[in-house]
Amino acid sequence: LNADARDPVMYFGTNGMGSIAGAIANNAGLQIEQDVWVSPSNGVKYVGRKDGGKPRWRVKAKGQVLGEFDRLVIAHNGKCADRLMSKTPAKKLHSLLRTNFASSVPAHGGNRMTLNSIYSLVFAVDKNSPLSRAIPEDMITAFIKNEPKLRLFSSNTRKFRKRGSSSTTEIFTVLSSPQFAKKKKAPQENIPTEVAEEVTLQLLQAVEVAFCLEKGSLSGDNCIHDSKLQLWGAAVPLNTWSDSPGFVFDDDFGVGACGDWLLDPSMEGAWESGRRLANWMNQAEVGGKKSSSVGLPPFGKFKRSAASMDSGIGSFGSSPTSVPAIN
């Protein structure tokens, strides 16, 4: 186990990742509609400029029109974002949303946004299990560097530890390497039972190797109480669209896109990209600044993210050394 006191501090939501978004929403005075599925097939439609004014987009969910809006922001990526914009006239922006899925990109960055895939396995064991005893009491998360099937290990229980808890169970999460996920890829909405069992077994065995545990101490019969396997099919961008200010905006049609693939493959990159796009639109709306298109082809190109290629799970500064590493 290798940790460096000079490494920067990393943060997590005290009640899960949702608490970060929840805190922002509660303090910003925003109207937020949750659990609204805008179909990528026909959820948005460009209806033109009414009376020569601003562009208008009609948004539908479950067959019901939610309204017409003069600005549309695509804040996700992958197949759904591609399909959502494929039938609209904003062709330049749509061209950037077309996606490849791979575990690596060429040195020149590739010609399309490229996303990898990652398996996430959550499993529960006794609090006095060999695994719980093998890791330091104060360790919450670690990068895995001594087992090619794994990239990240974390204790959910220690992350959200509540004072006075009497639970006898400890819950862990491991993230696989993109290379392993590519070899074992399956339909993420419906992973076949035999694939789920095989992947779960191999990831548990990999944890045994990474922490020098006795073979079968996790992967043997009745060693874990429960587990849940999830394939993150469109996971981490391996390249970013360069020569843009961290977002793209098509002024002709009033539509923009933001996300980590436009700045840095990280939560920070996603947040900053959205903030920059919001400021850009706000300056044109209330600041009197003339709006214009930004970051669209033919200007710009995709650039390989060395940090994502190195860690497989995102960018953590110059290198993923912000938390301990299992070497």
Side-chain angles (χ1 to χ4, degrees):
L1 179 65
N2 177 31
D4 191 332
R6 296 170 298 177
D7 290 334
V9 176
M10 298 184 74
Y11 297 89
F12 56 84
T14 54
N15 290 302
M17 297 303 298
S19 64
I20 299 176
I24 296 172
N26 291 336
N27 296 324
L30 303 174
Q31 177 184 343
I32 297 177
E33 302 290 341
Q34 291 185 289
D35 300 321
V36 177
W37 172 246
V38 177
S39 170
S41 299
N42 58 5
V44 299
K45 181 180 180 180
Y46 181 71
V47 295
R49 292 177 180 266
K50 290 189 175 181
D51 301 323
K54 294 180 179 179
R56 304 294 291 179
W57 291 88
R58 183 176 297 133
V59 181
K60 295 194 304 181
K62 296 181 179 180
Q64 301 295 316
V65 176
L66 302 179
E68 290 189 2
F69 307 90
D70 56 22
R71 293 292 182 265
L72 181 72
V73 173
I74 308 301
H76 66 148
N77 53 29
K79 293 179 180 179
C80 287
D82 179 359
R83 289 173 57 198
L84 190 68
M85 297 302 295
S86 62
K87 297 179 181 179
T88 74
K91 300 302 180 185
K92 290 183 178 180
L93 186 140
H94 171 245
S95 70
L96 295 177
L97 298 173
R98 300 171 67 189
T99 309
N100 284 339
F101 297 91
S103 58
S104 63
V105 291
H108 63 74
N111 298 319
R112 284 188 181 185
M113 180 202 314
T114 302
L115 305 174
N116 65 18
S117 299
I118 296 170
Y119 271 108
S120 171
L121 175 66
V122 182
F123 61 95
V125 296
D126 285 336
K127 217 166 190 177
N128 63 346
S129 69
L131 175 60
S132 297
R133 296 196 304 267
I135 60 178
E137 177 64 26
D138 61 347
M139 194 190 86
I140 295 176
T141 300
F143 289 97
I144 305 296
K145 296 186 176 182
N146 63 347
E147 221 305 326
K149 295 184 181 71
L150 303 178
R151 282 296 179 267
L152 192 79
F153 170 89
S154 184
S155 169
N156 303 43
T157 301
R158 299 181 189 195
K159 186 186 295 184
F160 307 125
R161 180 162 19 208
K162 292 183 170 55
R163 296 183 180 275
S165 173
S166 58
S167 173
T168 59
T169 302
E170 185 158 18
I171 299 173
F172 295 98
T173 297
V174 291
L175 299 182
S176 79
S177 66
Q179 292 76 15
F180 176 78
K182 181 180 179 180
K183 290 179 181 178
K184 303 294 181 180
K185 197 163 186 179
Q188 67 180 40
E189 297 85 2
N190 187 25
I191 302 175
T193 301
E194 62 274 16
V195 175
E197 292 176 349
E198 178 187 0
V199 171
T200 297
L201 176 63
Q202 291 193 25
L203 291 178
L204 290 174
Q205 291 173 336
V207 174
E208 292 172 351
V209 172
F211 289 93
C212 301
L213 303 178
E214 183 178 343
K215 186 177 180 179
S217 59
L218 282 178
S219 58
D221 293 339
N222 303 317
C223 291
I224 63 172
H225 298 306
D226 199 4
S227 66
K228 173 64 177 178
L229 182 72
Q230 176 68 45
L231 176 61
W232 189 8
V236 177
L238 298 177
N239 53 7
T240 56
W241 181 245
S242 62
D243 299 326
S244 79
F247 63 91
V248 293
F249 185 75
D250 189 331
D251 187 57
D252 290 337
F253 302 103
V255 58
C258 60
D260 54 358
W261 63 278
L262 286 159
L263 191 59
D264 182 66
S266 63
M267 284 186 60
E268 180 182 3
W271 159 263
E272 180 63 15
S273 173
R275 188 188 69 83
R276 292 183 186 184
L277 175 57
N279 284 344
W280 174 268
M281 294 188 297
N282 188 58
Q283 287 174 6
E285 185 69 24
V286 300
K289 182 178 179 180
K290 179 177 173 53
S291 183
S292 61
S293 296
V294 178
L296 297 175
F299 307 104
K301 63 179 181 179
F302 282 102
K303 180 180 179 181
R304 181 166 70 172
S305 168
S308 283
M309 290 288 294
D310 181 31
S311 74
I313 57 174
S315 172
F316 300 87
S318 58
S319 64
T321 58
S322 303
V323 294
I326 305 299
N327 295 306

